[in-house]
Amino acid sequence: MCVGLSAKVVRVEAGTALIDASGAQREISAGTLENLEPGDFVMVHAGVAIAKITDDDAAEADAVMEELL
Amino acid sequence: MNESAARARDIITGYSGAPLRIMEVCGTHTHEIFRLGLRKLLPPQIDLISGPGCPVCVTAVGFIDEACWLALEKGCIICTFGDLIRVPGTEMSLAGARAKGADIRPVYSPLDAVALAKENPDRQVVFLAVGFETTMPSACLAAKEAKAANLRNFSLLTANKTMPNAYQALIGSADAFLYPGHVNAITGNATCAKLCTEQGVSGVVAGFTASELLTALAVTIRLLEKGEPFFRNCYPRVVRDEGNIAAIRLMNEVMEPCDSEWRGLGMIPGSGMKLRPEYADFDARIKFAMPEITGKPNPACRCGDVLQGKIRPCDCKVFGKGCTPLHPVGACMVSDEGACAAYYQYSGLV
Ligand code: SF4
């Protein structure tokens, strides 16, 4: 139940968003995120977008490791 | 694998220092670390231990009994995240209740349960609200939507839990924590940063991909070697220091703190969330005048020790014998995110 789904926003309408996760589309609540736009990436839990995200974990690893060394 | 992740892997495999105990608090981390084969990279002196961060695993036996009572005595439709269905109660699981005629429906989101209530105005629909800060906003949105629509046939049976007091209960069980990334996506990092500055507790926020888990482990190892308490956010593409402010506001508007029983750990004061009095009409315990129901866990199950990292799942006498994913004795063997289920699935027993 706790596995998050990262997905791309296709459409936003009055508190809900249509998302695409690797080809599978579904309606979710966008009630806790402001200024969501088509093309944004989000993390989804239990049908709710909980965070706007970037989709690049390689760039993230670069930034985190850079700081470490 | 990019260069940074490869460097992280080298730090992990090349570690030759003192023994280290690192606790992955979150059940999804336990599962992903196994699935990605990262345990095989660890030198023997690094011990990865599983923590209590699987909401299904820490749901008390009595909560399952309460849900069965609502289903069988009150004839409610029970909507639940699928993993809860096979968790053992005192006498039966929800699957057992279903075999006796109960109407149990797995849903992906509490908002789906609200929609079901709208479609079935002559039936009472109860959603089983378990989960940490990550899934709590969805339960709160469901309660809000039901209130706005004046739905008389929808309610929540709550067992939501929050992490800060659980961290207090876990202090000392590991040298560093891998904090659950999606909890911090909601709450922000202040609690973990404070644990470091005020109580010397070390940890990093970790993501879930191979690259993210490798970097989180490498950072943890390097900083443990330095010997100073530390806190780092290794999942910045998702987690901001301030968290999701609108979600925090929503949770505080709909719910308030309460004491909460954790399977195996007992009652942790202030570690739960329940509906505020303004939402009493949507609280299943109040709505159905539920009697006090206390569950009795199976004495053979050592989930409590597993959830605190005191023993490994395979140290439990019934692991893989009397207790398997097909016939679970304890909750940790049910959910994919449970430590016992992860050990069973990836330890060559299947
Ligand atoms: S192996 Fe089964 S009985 Fe033993 S601790 Fe794990 S879930 Fe409980």
Side-chain angles (χ1 to χ4, degrees):
Chain A
M1 62 167 285
C2 265
V3 179
L5 186 70
S6 74
K8 192 169 178 177
V9 176
V10 178
R11 201 176 56 226
V12 188
E13 236 168 68
T16 64
L18 180 71
I19 52 151
D20 184 313
S22 315
Q25 297 203 338
R26 73 164 283 153
E27 288 275 344
I28 55 142
S29 167
T32 74
L33 294 180
E34 282 165 9
N35 309 326
L36 214 52
E37 286 178 11
D40 286 344
F41 283 90
V42 286
M43 186 57 70
V44 181
H45 266 272
V48 176
I50 63 162
K52 236 196 248 193
I53 66 174
T54 58
D55 196 37
D56 189 352
D57 66 350
E60 180 185 59
D62 289 343
V64 172
M65 293 300 287
E66 180 81 13
E67 206 192 316
L68 179 68
L69 303 170
Chain B
M1 187 181 292
N2 79 339
E3 210 183 302
S4 299
R7 222 164 58 201
R9 186 197 53 203
D10 292 343
I11 290 174
I12 298 166
T13 52
Y15 178 74
S16 59
L20 301 177
R21 280 163 63 83
I22 302 171
M23 176 180 273
E24 73 264 4
V25 176
C26 167
T28 309
H29 280 153
T30 303
H31 186 87
E32 287 305 297
I33 286 170
F34 265 116
R35 194 180 67 79
L36 296 164
L38 302 185
R39 275 180 177 266
K40 295 197 197 98
L41 297 180
L42 297 175
Q45 68 273 41
I46 296 185
D47 197 7
L48 267 191
I49 46 183
S50 309
C54 158
V56 172
C57 303
V58 294
T59 296
V61 176
F63 181 79
I64 302 296
D65 298 348
E66 288 181 318
C68 290
W69 183 84
L70 286 169
L72 292 171
E73 299 295 323
K74 297 292 164 183
C76 301
I77 299 177
I78 300 291
C79 289
T80 172
F81 294 125
D83 332 28
L84 266 189
I85 293 178
R86 292 187 313 111
V87 173
T90 303
E91 277 169 23
M92 70 185 101
S93 63
L94 287 165
R98 185 191 260 161
K100 289 181 186 285
D103 193 344
I104 313 289
R105 314 229 187 152
V107 289
Y108 166 64
S109 163
L111 297 164
D112 298 341
V114 175
L116 187 80
K118 287 180 180 166
E119 287 158 17
N120 293 274
D122 53 337
R123 298 285 307 277
Q124 286 292 334
V125 174
V126 178
F127 176 73
L128 306 186
V130 300
F132 299 113
E133 289 90 337
T134 327
T135 43
M136 225 179 293
S138 62
C140 293
L141 279 172
K144 252 188 117 162
E145 191 177 320
K147 191 170 179 168
N150 202 17
L151 264 188
R152 294 276 152 238
N153 66 326
F154 176 80
S155 54
L156 299 169
L157 181 65
T158 55
N160 291 104
K161 293 182 168 41
T162 50
M163 289 311 297
N165 289 359
Y167 292 142
Q168 290 298 331
L170 289 172
I171 288 178
S173 38
D175 298 313
F177 293 127
L178 294 186
Y179 290 118
H182 293 158
V183 167
N184 286 48
I186 299 285
T187 60
N189 294 329
T191 297
C192 304
K194 225 165 112 184
L195 274 167
C196 172
T197 51
E198 292 182 4
Q199 293 177 274
V201 176
S202 294
V204 305
V205 184
F208 299 87
T209 66
S211 159
E212 283 163 350
L213 283 162
L214 284 170
T215 48
L217 284 168
V219 168
T220 304
I221 291 167
R222 266 289 146 85
L223 295 178
L224 279 173
E225 277 180 316
K226 289 194 177 160
E228 296 288 323
F230 58 87
F231 169 70
R232 287 282 194 291
N233 178 9
C234 297
Y235 194 29
R237 75 185 179 94
V238 173
V239 175
R240 322 266 178 279
D241 277 345
E242 70 279 13
N244 181 333
I245 291 165
I248 295 169
R249 207 180 302 128
L250 168 73
M251 290 192 293
N252 291 330
E253 181 191 331
V254 177
M255 292 194 181
E256 62 185 10
C258 62
D259 298 345
S260 183
E261 187 187 347
W262 296 56
R263 187 184 285 244
L265 306 185
M267 194 64 86
I268 304 183
S271 68
M273 293 289 268
K274 63 175 185 183
L275 290 167
R276 285 186 177 276
E278 303 89 282
Y279 284 86
D281 291 349
F282 302 92
D283 185 329
R285 290 189 184 92
I286 296 172
K287 181 169 181 165
F288 296 100
M290 188 184 280
E292 182 108 357
I293 294 176
T294 320
K296 288 190 199 67
N298 186 319
C301 179
R302 299 194 58 195
C303 275
D305 291 333
V306 170
L307 293 167
Q308 295 170 85
K310 289 185 182 161
I311 64 165
R312 287 173 309 159
C314 40
D315 300 326
C316 169
K317 274 203 190 103
V318 291
F319 174 83
K321 299 177 197 112
C323 183
T324 64
L326 271 183
H327 298 285
V329 172
C332 301
M333 190 56 98
V334 178
S335 165
D336 263 357
E337 295 140 39
C340 298
Y343 270 74
Y344 186 86
Q345 192 176 348
Y346 295 107
S347 295
L349 278 161
V350 274

